[in-house]
Amino acid sequence: MDATAVAGCFRDKSILITGSTGFLGKLLVEKILRVQPGVKKLYLLLRAPDAASAEQRILSDVIGMDLFNILRKKYGLPGFQSFIQEKVVPLAGDIIYENFGLDSSRADALSKEIDVIINGAATTNFYERYDVALASNALGPRNACEFAKKCPNLKLLLHVSTAFVTGTQEGLLLEKAFQNGETLREGYYMDIEAELQLVDKVKSELKAATSGSSEQLEKSAMKELGLKSFDDTNLSKLRSEAKMDSGDDIIFNFDPKRIDWHSYLVKVHVPAVLKYSRREKAGA
């Protein structure tokens, strides 16, 4: 299928896009509006407290970029503004919630209008809070799929994965369907519900241990919890950088899979952070 045929598929279609404020998202929005001005609507979902804030964020973080100068030149500034108002609909919501956080009447009306969903929202931070990463990169796609099931006119659901889902594999990699819980690590199964329960448990224990957890302590604990996914691939990179061989692991007695990360967080990391913060307060 050539580019002209692809552009033709979007004529008179309503498209829901998540992640439009990201690097790829901006490019996608501009490209669709430029090559297929006959698109019916672009619904852009983004985090914002209300509709007015969502519109302002779209204008400043997406439409206001130099990327759209070609369209400004084509239509002239007044014509460009009218074109954007006609085609682009900001939606205040979040992929981490059912129905993207939209109220039931808005979600129901939207589901009847949508022909295409492009889910490009994700976090690519290597040291992200574990609860945030789970919500965005695991629950987000699930919520997109659940919403897609409610769209009677849906022609396409496209999920844009991060650049890191293939791990360290090289060369031409074809798409492969995974079963729920299956991962790139052979023999490793990831139970998302169990991981969510672990997050809740760590937060509860942290709150109990500190008589009401502070945001900074919770943030630190969630980032440390994310390190539990440290695997043999990362360990191989460490060996390479440190010019170690596998026998050196015995000397250092370091096997990340044998570490009880939950115990470490509750009994070592959190108490250490508390002790440090109290010492800082005393010295202030």
Side-chain angles (χ1 to χ4, degrees), residues 13-46:
K13 298 296 191 297
S14 291
I15 305 173
L16 171 63
I17 300 175
T18 72
S20 62
T21 59
F23 177 73
L24 285 178
K26 294 184 181 74
L27 294 174
L28 177 64
V29 171
E30 190 275 341
K31 184 67 175 286
I32 293 175
L33 292 173
R34 177 162 47 85
V35 304
Q36 185 46 274
V39 67
K40 186 176 181 180
K41 295 287 184 183
L42 292 185
Y43 291 92
L44 307 184
L45 182 82
L46 71 164

Side-chain angles (χ1 to χ4, degrees), residues 137-152:
N137 296 1
L139 297 186
R142 184 177 73 179
N143 290 333
C145 288
E146 291 301 319
F147 185 78
K149 294 176 183 178
K150 303 173 184 178
C151 301

Side-chain angles (χ1 to χ4, degrees), residues 1 25 50 58 66-67 73 79 87 138 141 168 179 185 198 247 273:
M1 183 180 288
D50 51 49
I58 285 294
D66 290 345
L67 174 66
K73 184 177 180 180
K87 300 296 182 180
T168 57
Q179 298 298 317
R185 290 171 60 186
L198 174 61
V273 172

